[in-house]
Amino acid sequence: MRTVITGGAGFIGSHLCDYLINKGHEVVCIDNLLTGKMDNVVHLMGNSQFRFMKHNVSDYIYVDGHVDNVLHFASPASPSDYLEFPIQTLKVGSLGTLNSLGLAKAKKAKFLLASTSEVYGDPQVHPQREDYWGHVNPVGPRGVYDEAKRFAEAMTMAYHRYHHIDTRIVRIFNTYGPRMRVKDGRALPNFMCQALRGDDITIFGNGLQTRSFCYVSDLVEGIYRLLLSHEHDPVNIGNPEEITIDQLAKEILALTGSKSEIVFKPIPVDDPKIRQPDISRAKSILGWEPKVVRAEGLRKTLTYFKDVLSSGGKTI
Ligand code: UDP
């Protein structure tokens, strides 16, 4: 198997590179390092199963030789990243998806799109099932990510229906684990680094908004099972255990034993109030459900952030 992973030097992409290399795949990792980091794949350099190409997939993608799978994971994915890079986010979700699908078509390869729970926007249905069409503000600041991913799903289905490409769509819910950046901007890495440094823990809004956090190894296993399945419609992959952001902050404070104080900051525009995946389809189609409980996942992630911060925060 020869698999192209766009965004392969990112948080999730790099875990996928490791997972597939362990399964015996040859991996071609394409990343322009806008939010991805060489640190995430440096251990694979020199491995004959691994090749790195520094390239922006919003431009035409050239890969020589045969390809069996194209996994499109390139995109800024943290709200602070897509606010900083709105045009790049729109381009990689639209042009990047088009180019990745074009590569899959040219190579007669399977295609898997990394989509997102953000397609549900600020949801009015709870928990979110795949047949819910969502509640997205196209002109708000989050629209650049949400609409790009919705367009990417539409493009993927068009290539499936019109060009008969063998496609998959995974809707990824909040995921965490080692290789998140210190400056990622999302709640979990922010809270961990703030707690470890003794800085204030910044809760946006009143902290009663909810999320459901999936450990990265569970996510990658679900994605692999989806790749092996014959399912063309979107599948949610996430951990259905829902908590408030306030509870997340308190769990991290307890775990670190930090004396950091919680401070409240303004809630970002269009910040979803609730989020929880309905994973019935993943369970029945893929026989998948998450295995790593939050206490364990948080401990492993904390160990990683401790190492990064004590080495001077090299992976920012
Ligand atoms: N959040 C927070 N403090 C932070 C970063 C995020 O309270 O330092 C909140 C954010 O407003 C949202 C939730 O935590 O309600 C999860 O945000 P995150 O950026 O992790 O991801 P999202 O699920 O919104 O994409």
Side-chain angles (χ1 to χ4, degrees):
M1 281 286 151
R2 189 156 186 259
T3 299
V4 169
I5 307 181
T6 78
F11 162 49
I12 295 174
S14 65
H15 283 283
L16 268 174
C17 289
D18 287 342
Y19 186 95
L20 293 180
I21 282 174
N22 279 331
K23 291 274 179 202
H25 288 223
E26 256 180 66
V27 169
V28 179
C29 163
I30 309 181
D31 205 302
N32 68 346
L33 304 177
L34 179 69
T35 58
K37 291 274 165 277
M38 274 321 280
D39 280 353
N40 291 339
V41 290
V42 77
H43 61 287
L44 297 172
M45 301 305 264
N47 183 325
S48 60
Q49 282 169 255
F50 183 76
R51 184 169 145 210
F52 178 77
M53 283 170 57
K54 186 169 185 297
H55 178 69
N56 181 350
V57 295
S58 299
D59 298 327
Y60 182 86
I61 307 168
Y62 177 77
V63 176
D64 57 6
H66 85 277
V67 173
D68 300 290
N69 308 296
V70 177
L71 313 186
H72 182 37
F73 278 72
S75 179
S78 157
S80 60
D81 286 337
Y82 48 78
L83 294 185
E84 188 180 354
F85 304 115
I87 313 286
Q88 291 95 326
T89 303
L90 281 160
K91 285 175 86 173
V92 76
S94 54
L95 303 176
T97 303
L98 178 65
N99 291 330
S100 303
L101 279 161
L103 177 67
K105 178 167 168 272
K107 303 289 186 181
K108 298 183 171 49
K110 233 184 240 184
F111 177 84
L112 185 145
L113 172 70
S115 186
T116 168
S117 55
E118 286 282 329
V119 300
Y120 303 121
D122 188 8
Q124 294 170 314
V125 168
H126 196 67
Q128 291 77 53
R129 285 163 43 110
E130 291 88 344
D131 56 8
Y132 174 49
W133 291 353
H135 181 230
V136 170
N137 174 6
V139 295
R142 292 178 94 98
V144 297
Y145 184 63
D146 302 10
E147 295 294 10
K149 290 291 189 182
R150 289 167 68 95
F151 175 91
E153 289 197 6
M155 178 74 88
T156 300
M157 291 310 290
Y159 265 65
H160 172 62
R161 295 192 181 111
Y162 188 76
H163 289 309
H164 308 292
I165 306 295
D166 189 10
T167 58
R168 311 280 183 275
I169 298 174
V170 56
R171 288 188 180 150
I172 299 172
F173 282 66
N174 293 67
T175 301
Y176 70 102
R179 299 191 189 154
M180 293 189 101
R181 290 165 304 150
V182 170
K183 292 188 180 158
D184 177 278
R186 279 176 279 203
L188 196 146
N190 271 8
F191 294 172
M192 284 206 169
C193 295
Q194 289 163 343
L196 288 170
R197 288 168 159 159
D199 295 344
D200 289 344
I201 306 273
T202 54
I203 289 188
F204 300 162
N206 59 13
L208 297 181
Q209 67 271 38
T210 68
R211 294 294 186 273
S212 310
F213 294 93
C214 184
Y215 191 67
V216 65
S217 60
D218 280 333
L219 177 87
V220 166
E221 173 69 30
I223 290 169
Y224 183 65
R225 290 193 190 199
L226 178 61
L227 184 68
L228 298 188
S229 79
H230 299 283
E231 183 57 44
H232 302 300
D233 288 333
V235 179
N236 290 339
I237 298 282
N239 189 320
E241 202 172 313
E242 182 185 18
I243 57 166
T244 63
I245 291 303
D246 179 65
Q247 187 184 339
L248 176 71
K250 287 179 177 147
E251 286 183 12
I252 291 173
L253 276 175
L255 190 66
T256 52
S258 167
K259 299 271 180 295
S260 289
E261 306 229 337
I262 291 181
V263 297
F264 294 90
K265 302 263 182 191
I267 189 97
V269 176
D270 296 333
D271 197 278
K273 287 177 262 317
I274 44 176
R275 182 180 291 153
Q276 181 189 33
D278 180 319
I279 58 164
S280 316
R281 274 167 56 75
K283 277 186 182 163
S284 65
I285 299 168
L286 312 177
W288 176 89
E289 62 183 321
K291 294 200 166 44
V292 181
V293 294
R294 198 168 56 251
E296 184 191 347
L298 289 182
R299 256 196 317 276
K300 288 182 172 164
T301 309
L302 188 66
T303 304
Y304 157 79
F305 276 119
K306 272 185 188 160
D307 286 352
V308 173
L309 291 183
S310 67
S311 68
K314 186 163 61 90
T315 306
I316 54 166

